[in-house]
């Protein structure tokens, strides 16, 4: 607009003077007003096609300028002005296109055009012609009420470009919201029924396009939408090149870049076209990244290729120009052969596909051993070539390979051609590294020989065996030969105490290695030297020594790799004659393990003499365990702790001493000790033993009957042993041993007395307290006898009792006996005749047992009717029932009984007194009632009572257990 | 034991391994068709998920439920329940056959839109299965003596987008095609289940093969 505003007046100023002259030439005013023929629309492309003509053109050709104006919505709103120049022919229909950024369905556009002659051959027109009339550009779209139309219906565009979406609202529609994929998008209202959504820098979402969908209130159809097919930007092909292997085909290749294909028939993958300008040939590639171009013109040497890629939106191309002979990529060599000349040489031959013998090739030859390139060489060759590899290792696998290129115009190496081969074996080239260990056993030398396996480069083949020749120096004629089969790396010989020379060689299939010699003197293995302690580092040990003699042939340092194991795994290191120190390093060295090194000096005679012994740790560690402590001489005031020593090979460091910790309630440390505290804040006494050889410690000044706790732990430079549980010990009582000395004999004495008493108890009993004192045995008898007075011993029958007294009565159990009887009066009655089972032979109840006292019986008879006559016993109320409590019952019974004894009239003349002291045991009663068919309860007592004198024999016959009966009467002793 | 026997006899009509004596009739083929319908339902569930993701939002959103429009040519599966009940066997089968004939044709049209080879393979596999279902329905109809419906001239479904048919509406059509297919398979399962029960012979006329598993 601005441009046209400025240009227009200026142009008029220039043209106006010319107008008059042109009018003069033509004879009339020159007005060529363009006439718009059609204005068509391509909706999908949003494009307006304008066709017009210039009527009244009299010339065949006339160069003209046109100016086209486009306005939007109304004619005055001009949005585009464009000048267009062309040569116009008579009656020619002119075309011009314009692309709208807004879909044409949404807004009406207007277009007009004017012209001006701009031809040098003719006087220029003095000014623009008049404008053509405005032509309306619109797509008739009717939007139904309650619907929404979205334009464009679909659009193909490139990623990163901008697009304007337009919405046409139908009547009654409101509250329209739109989403792009899942994100809301907002537009600007153009008028009441059109709004525009401008999307800038669109991104690729999916091959199936990016959906824009809108929903509206009051809509009859929903959702409304459109799809934007966003294509990725077409990339320029990279690394485009062409080459030939055979001068018949050019293989062109490139990196295609991203695939811009879209589905929904929007866009296929981009295509690739090759165009060669010299031949004018063009070929569409079948592949995305390569194309084979047939060479049809043999004479053509130079090629100019243009590779063009194209999709619906864009076209890109790259160009290369080259000489065919400079783009030769040879095929890999063929017929590769390898021939070994000897163990160290091999010859390789190969052939090339070439255009002729005159064609010179550059070949690269490589020799590989175990994937490592050990030899590389470039050689210039013709069609066939060879190369000799020398300095090879015997018995080794190699891989030889070769590749070639054009020597004149190097483009690319061919592919490799390779062949593997092995060199044959050769005799071992190196003497064995040997060593020995000598020990004396039963007056002979036990020599263990060791040797290290030869390196592959030294063995030159597979070692089959080792030969050992033992030569007695004292008797040179006697040499013994031994053979040890591989892969053994040692052997053991038993030799006498002579001097020997031992020769060791290794054999493979091709020969014998140089020999290794060792000499043994008769004192080998007996050397005694001082052991020195050394300090290692984590990398190993530095060992130095003083040479013994000036003419040493060399030195050997040996050590056990596994000093703690049974299997020592002897290692050694050979050192030169001028060496007096060395570093011994090994991955096998472990912290906390003691290593013992021996340094030998080798003499000219190959004899090795022990120089020094050195021992040390790479890293000393604190002891892992404490010694097992034994307590000796345990007294109330002291005890001695003793413990065994550690095996030096199993020490994790050099033990510098021991610490004894003692805990007690008193916490009074001995002056030798000091108070210290452990990690658990417990305070205790510590005694330090600085001599590692001292393996005992006396703990003194202890309190009797006190608890002490102790711990013995070794200490090293790396720390002390673990804090284990303390051992508890209680000191004994001071007098306890004295008491023991007294009590024990006393106890023994008492025991002896008791045994003796028991042994003589019968005798003592008879002597001291007989069951029935025998008046005739009484000691008093001797007194009587001595006085000669026989009447001192009272005879019972001479006595006339005045009163009978019951001297004992038993209570309690009799109730039970009463209850167990039959509840009939006559049965329960104490009338003996009816109760005695032998009377009628029947089995009446036998609740009581009667034992007659014949002494009284007899006296009764003897005394006539004197004495008490208790008369027949009567029933007592106590015998009436079972419900009466036993004790009460007994009382009643007892009372009645005594009463009856006192009041009963004399009906019988004889009385039998039965002792109630004799209380038969249950077992006894069983024997008494064996004839009774009814069960009889235990009777706990026996009543002493008067029974009729006529039944004594019956009652007596039943009585066989008279445990406490006292018989008073003569003749019964 | 007696209870077991009673249970077995009670469930006899439901035992599919039972063979009727003599001509098996359309029963087995109806059962096969029913099974195939259920299998296709399962297969479609996976295919529809993949394809709707490919269409992108909003078509793959679970709550996207637009009114059915623009897919008028698709056979409609939804029908009034009373109408469905009143359908006779012939009409029921004919409707199924016609629906799947159309749906199969539309489904083949989807293949050209598919971007990935995997999606194309899944679609082709599903089409083959659907073709099998169509053949199975034809078999049932033949067994029952019903003629196959003839395609009316001019009603051959065409999926070519018209000039006014936008790509968005095409996606919508695809969405509806899958949805309608799902509804049809669901309906067919009901249809064939109903037919199956109807064709079930009375329990007394079956012979129990004792080698049936489960005893």
């Amino acid at each position: 607009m601005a441009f046209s505003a400025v240009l227009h007046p200026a142009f008029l100023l220039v043209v106006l003077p010319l107008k008059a002259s042109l009018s003069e030439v033509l004879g009339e005013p020159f007005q060529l007003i363009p006439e718009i023929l059609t204005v068509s629309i391509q909706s999908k492309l949003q494009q307006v096609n304008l066709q017009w003509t210039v009527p009244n053109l009299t010339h065949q050709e006339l160069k003209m300028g046109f100016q086209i104006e486009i306005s939007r919505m109304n004619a005055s709103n001009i949005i585009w002005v464009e000048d267009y120049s062309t040569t116009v022919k008579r009656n020619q229909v002119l075309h011009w296109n314009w692309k709208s950024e807004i879909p044409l369905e949404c807004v009406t556009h207007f277009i007009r055009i004017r012209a001006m002659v701009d031809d040098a051959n003719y006087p220029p027109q003095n000014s623009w012609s008049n404008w053509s009339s405005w032509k309306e550009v619109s797509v008739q779209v009717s939007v139904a009420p309650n619907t929404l139309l979205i334009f464009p219906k679909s659009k193909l565009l490139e990623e990163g470009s901008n697009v304007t979406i337009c919405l046409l609202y139908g009547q009654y529609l409101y509250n329209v919201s739109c989403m792009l994929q899942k994100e809301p998008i907002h537009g600007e209202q153009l008028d009441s029924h059109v709004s525009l959504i401008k999307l800038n820098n669109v991104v690729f979402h999916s091959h199936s396009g990016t959906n824009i969908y809108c929903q509206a209130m009051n809509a009859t159809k929903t959702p409304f939408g459109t799809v934007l097919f966003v294509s990725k930007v077409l990339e320029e092909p990279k690394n485009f090149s062409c080459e030939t292997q055979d001068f018949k085909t050019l293989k062109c290749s490139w990196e295609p870049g991203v695939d811009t294909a879209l589905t929904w028939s929007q866009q296929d993958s981009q295509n690739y076209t090759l165009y060669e300008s010299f031949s004018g040939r063009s070929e569409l590639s079948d592949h995305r990244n390569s194309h084979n171009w047939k060479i049809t013109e043999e004479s053509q040497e130079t090629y100019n290729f243009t590779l063009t890629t194209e999709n619906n939106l864009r076209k890109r191309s790259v160009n290369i120009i080259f000489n065919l002979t400079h783009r030769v990529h040879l095929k890999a060599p063929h017929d590769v052969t390898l021939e070994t000349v000897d163990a160290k040489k091999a010859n390789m031959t190969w052939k090339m596909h070439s255009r002729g013998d005159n064609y010179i090739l550059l070949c690269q030859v490589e020799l590989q051993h175990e994937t490592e390139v050990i030899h590389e060489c470039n050689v210039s060759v013709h069609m066939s070539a060879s190369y000799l590899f020398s300095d090879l290792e015997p018995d080794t696998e190699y891989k030889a390979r070769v590749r070639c290129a054009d020597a004149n115009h190097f483009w690319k190496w061919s592919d490799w051609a390779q062949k593997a081969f092995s060199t044959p074996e050769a005799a071992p080239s190196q003497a064995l590294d040997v060593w020995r260990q000598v020990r004396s056993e039963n007056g002979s030398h036990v020599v263990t020989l060791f040797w290290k396996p030869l390196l592959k480069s030294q063995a030159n083949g597979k070692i089959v065996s080792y030969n050992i020749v033992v030569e007695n120096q004292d008797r040179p004629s006697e040499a013994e030969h031994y053979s040890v089969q591989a892969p053994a790396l040692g052997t053991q010989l038993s030799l006498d105490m002579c001097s020997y020379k031992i020769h060791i060689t290794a054999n493979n299939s091709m020969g014998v290695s140089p020999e290794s010699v060792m000499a043994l003197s008769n004192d080998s293995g007996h050397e005694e030297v001082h052991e020195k302690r050394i300090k290692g580092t984590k990398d190993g040990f530095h060992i130095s020594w003083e040479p013994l003699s000036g003419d040493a042939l060399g030195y050997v340092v040996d050590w056990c790799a596994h000093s703690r194991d049974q299997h020592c795994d002897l290692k050694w290191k050979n050192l030169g004659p001028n060496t007096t120190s060395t570093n011994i390093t090994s991955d096998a060295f472990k912290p906390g393990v003691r290593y013992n090194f021996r340094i030998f000096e080798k003499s000219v005679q190959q004899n090795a003499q022990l120089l020094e012994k050195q021992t040390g740790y790479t890293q000393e560690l604190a002891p892992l365990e404490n010694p097992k402590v034994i307590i000796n001489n345990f007294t109330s005031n002291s005890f001695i702790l003793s413990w065994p020593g550690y095996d030096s090979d199993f020490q994790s460091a050099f033990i510098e001493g021991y610490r004894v910790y003692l805990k007690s309630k008193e916490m009074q440390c001995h002056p030798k000790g000091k108070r210290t505290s452990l990690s658990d804040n417990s305070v205790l006494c510590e005694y330090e033993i600085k001599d590692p050889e001292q393996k005992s410690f006396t703990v003194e000044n202890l309190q009797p009957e006190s608890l002490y706790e102790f711990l013995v732990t070794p200490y090293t430079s790396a720390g002390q042993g673990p804090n284990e549980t303390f051992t508890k010990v209680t000191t004994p009582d001071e007098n306890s041993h004295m008491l023991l000395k007294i009590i024990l004999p006393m106890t023994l004495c008492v025991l002896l007395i008791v045994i003796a008493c028991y042994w003589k108890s019968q005798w003592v009993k008879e002597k001291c307290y007989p069951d029935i004192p025998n008046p005739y045995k009484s000691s008093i008898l001797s007194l009587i006898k001595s006085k000669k007075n026989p009447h001192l011993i009272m005879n019972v029958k001479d006595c006339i009792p005045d009163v009978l007294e019951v001297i004992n009565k038993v209570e309690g159990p009799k109730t039970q006996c009463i209850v167990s009887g039959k509840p009939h009066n006559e049965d329960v009655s104490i009338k003996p005749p009816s109760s005695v089972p032998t009377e009628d032979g029947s089995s009446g109840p036998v609740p009581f047992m009667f034992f007659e006292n014949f002494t009284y019986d007899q006296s009764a008879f003897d005394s006539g009717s004197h004495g008490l006559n208790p008369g027949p016993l009567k029933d007592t109320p106590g015998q009436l029932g079972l419900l009466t409590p036993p004790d009460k019952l007994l009382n009643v019974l007892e009372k009645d009984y005594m009463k009856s004894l006192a009041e009963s009239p004399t009906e019988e003349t004889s009385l039998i007194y039965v002792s109630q002291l004799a209380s038969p045991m249950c077992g006894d009663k069983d024997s008494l009632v064996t004839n009774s068919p009814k069960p009889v309860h235990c009777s706990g007592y026996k009543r002493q009572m008067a029974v009729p004198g006529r039944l004594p024999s019956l009652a007596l016959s039943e009585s066989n257990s008279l445990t406490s009966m006292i018989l008073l009467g003569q003749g019964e002793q | 034991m007696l209870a077991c026997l009673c249970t077995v006899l009670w469930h006899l009509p439901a035992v599919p391994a039972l063979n009727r004596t003599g001509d098996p009739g359309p029963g087995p083929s109806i059962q096969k068709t029913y099974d195939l319908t259920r299998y296709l339902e399962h297969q479609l569930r996976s295919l529809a998920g993949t394809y709707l993701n490919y269409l992108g939002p909003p078509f793959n959103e679970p709550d996207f439920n637009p009114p059915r429009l623009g897919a008028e040519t698709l056979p409609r599966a939804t029908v009034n329940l009373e109408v469905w009940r009143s359908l006779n066997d012939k009409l029921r089968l004919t409707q199924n056959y016609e629906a799947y004939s159309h749906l199969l044709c539309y489904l083949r049209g989807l293949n050209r839109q598919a971007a990935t080879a995997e999606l194309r393979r899944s679609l082709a596999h599903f089409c083959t299965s659907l073709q099998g279902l169509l053949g199975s329905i034809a078999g049932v109809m033949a067994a029952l003596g019903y003629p196959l419906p003839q395609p009316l001239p001019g009603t051959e479904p065409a999926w070519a987008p018209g000039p006014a048919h936008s790509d968005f509406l095409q996606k919508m059509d695809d969405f509806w095609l899958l949805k309608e297919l799902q509804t049809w398979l669901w309906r067919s399962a009901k249809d064939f289940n109903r037919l199956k029960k109807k064709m079930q012979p009375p329990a007394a006329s079956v012979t129990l093969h004792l080698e049936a598993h489960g005893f």
Side-chain angles (χ1 to χ4, degrees), chain A residues 534-537 540-544 580-584 597 614:
Chain A
I534 52 169
K535 197 172 175 70
T537 64
F541 296 89
H542 179 76
I543 291 175
S544 59
T580 55
S581 69
T582 184
N583 284 318
I584 307 287
F597 298 92
Q614 298 187 7

Side-chain angles (χ1 to χ4, degrees), chain A residues 44 153-155 181-182 206-215 220-227 229 263-266, chain B residues 51 53-61 64 66-67 69 112-115 163-172 174:
Chain A
K44 196 170 175 64
K153 286 183 175 175
S154 67
K155 176 112 182 140
Q181 292 291 88
K182 288 177 178 177
S206 160
H207 292 101
S208 64
T210 305
N211 300 327
I212 293 174
Y213 57 102
C214 302
Q215 289 174 305
T220 51
K221 295 178 177 178
T222 186
F224 310 94
T226 186
V227 185
F229 290 95
T263 56
W264 240 261
S265 310
Q266 289 295 323
Chain B
Y51 195 83
N53 275 337
Y54 163 67
L55 292 183
F59 303 102
N60 60 350
E61 288 169 6
F64 182 64
L69 69 110
R112 69 188 157 79
Q113 318 285 18
H165 209 77
S166 76
D167 290 318
F168 187 81
L169 290 178
Q170 265 195 55
K171 287 189 174 186
M172 188 75 94
D174 289 357

Side-chain angles (χ1 to χ4, degrees), chain A residues 434-670:
Chain A
V434 296
W435 188 232
R436 88 292 187 276
Q437 210 171 22
V438 184
R439 70 174 196 273
S440 296
E441 201 171 85
N442 300 330
S444 64
H445 276 148
V446 177
V447 182
T448 310
L449 299 173
F450 300 95
W451 54 87
K452 291 176 184 170
L454 288 172
L455 298 177
K456 195 168 181 344
S457 59
Q458 299 165 341
N460 293 341
K462 188 184 177 187
I463 299 297
V464 182
S465 63
Y466 299 93
N467 284 342
I468 300 159
V469 178
V470 181
E471 198 182 333
N472 192 325
Q473 295 293 92
D474 303 334
R475 296 184 292 275
S477 57
E478 293 177 17
E480 289 185 44
H481 294 256
Y482 302 93
S483 180
V484 178
Q485 296 300 307
L489 294 174
T491 188
Q492 191 166 294
L493 303 174
S494 185
L495 305 173
D496 57 22
M497 301 300 270
C498 298
S499 299
Y500 285 94
K501 198 169 252 186
I502 302 169
H503 308 259
I504 306 171
T505 53
N507 297 346
N508 67 9
S509 64
M510 297 303 288
V512 181
S513 71
E515 67 175 16
S516 304
V517 183
M518 280 188 299
L520 286 179
S521 62
N522 45 17
D523 61 343
S524 293
H526 295 283
E527 306 96 333
E528 284 298 328
V529 290
H530 174 68
E531 186 178 82
K532 192 170 87 176
R533 285 187 180 180
I534 52 169
K535 197 172 175 70
T537 64
K538 66 175 181 179
D539 298 323
F541 296 89
H542 179 76
I543 291 175
S544 59
W545 60 88
E546 290 294 324
L548 194 67
S549 59
D551 58 347
L553 204 64
Y555 298 92
V556 177
V557 179
D558 77 359
W559 70 96
C560 285
H562 305 290
S563 61
R564 286 186 176 182
D565 295 349
Q566 293 259 324
H567 174 58
C568 155
D569 189 13
L570 188 76
K571 304 284 178 191
W572 69 94
K573 189 175 180 181
N574 269 307
L575 296 154
N578 299 323
T579 319
T580 55
S581 69
T582 184
N583 284 318
I584 307 287
T585 57
S586 168
D587 293 335
F589 287 148
K590 292 174 187 166
V593 176
R594 186 181 288 195
Y595 294 97
N596 302 307
F597 298 92
R598 298 187 300 175
I599 300 108
F600 293 86
E601 185 181 280
K602 283 198 287 187
S603 67
V604 182
Q605 294 79 27
Q606 297 291 346
N607 192 15
Q609 188 177 357
L610 183 63
L611 274 185
E612 283 183 32
K613 280 184 181 177
Q614 298 187 7
T615 183
Y617 296 84
T618 55
Q619 186 191 344
E620 290 192 70
L621 298 179
L624 292 173
E625 57 181 13
N626 294 326
K628 290 188 168 45
V629 180
I630 302 161
I631 304 169
N632 295 322
N633 295 356
F634 190 53
T635 68
S636 57
N637 295 319
S638 68
F639 54 83
I640 297 173
L641 302 173
S642 61
W643 56 91
Y646 290 89
D647 187 340
S648 62
D649 283 342
F650 289 87
Q651 290 176 12
S652 57
F654 294 116
I655 289 178
E656 294 176 354
Y658 295 90
R659 287 194 183 104
V660 179
Y661 292 101
L662 192 69
K663 272 200 263 187
S664 68
K665 281 184 182 175
E666 295 83 25
M667 280 316 302
Q668 288 178 342
C669 294
H670 192 270

Side-chain angles (χ1 to χ4, degrees), chain A residues 677-710:
Chain A
S677 60
L678 287 181
S679 55
D680 59 351
N681 294 327
S682 57
V683 180
L684 31 75
C685 297
E686 179 190 310
Y687 303 92
E688 189 159 314
I689 302 165
K690 291 186 177 172
D691 180 10
E693 298 305 317
Q694 184 183 332
K695 305 283 170 48
S696 67
F697 179 76
T698 307
V699 186
E700 296 169 313
N701 299 331
L702 304 180
Q703 297 292 323
E705 286 189 283
S706 298
L707 177 72
Y708 291 92
E709 294 177 57
F710 67 85

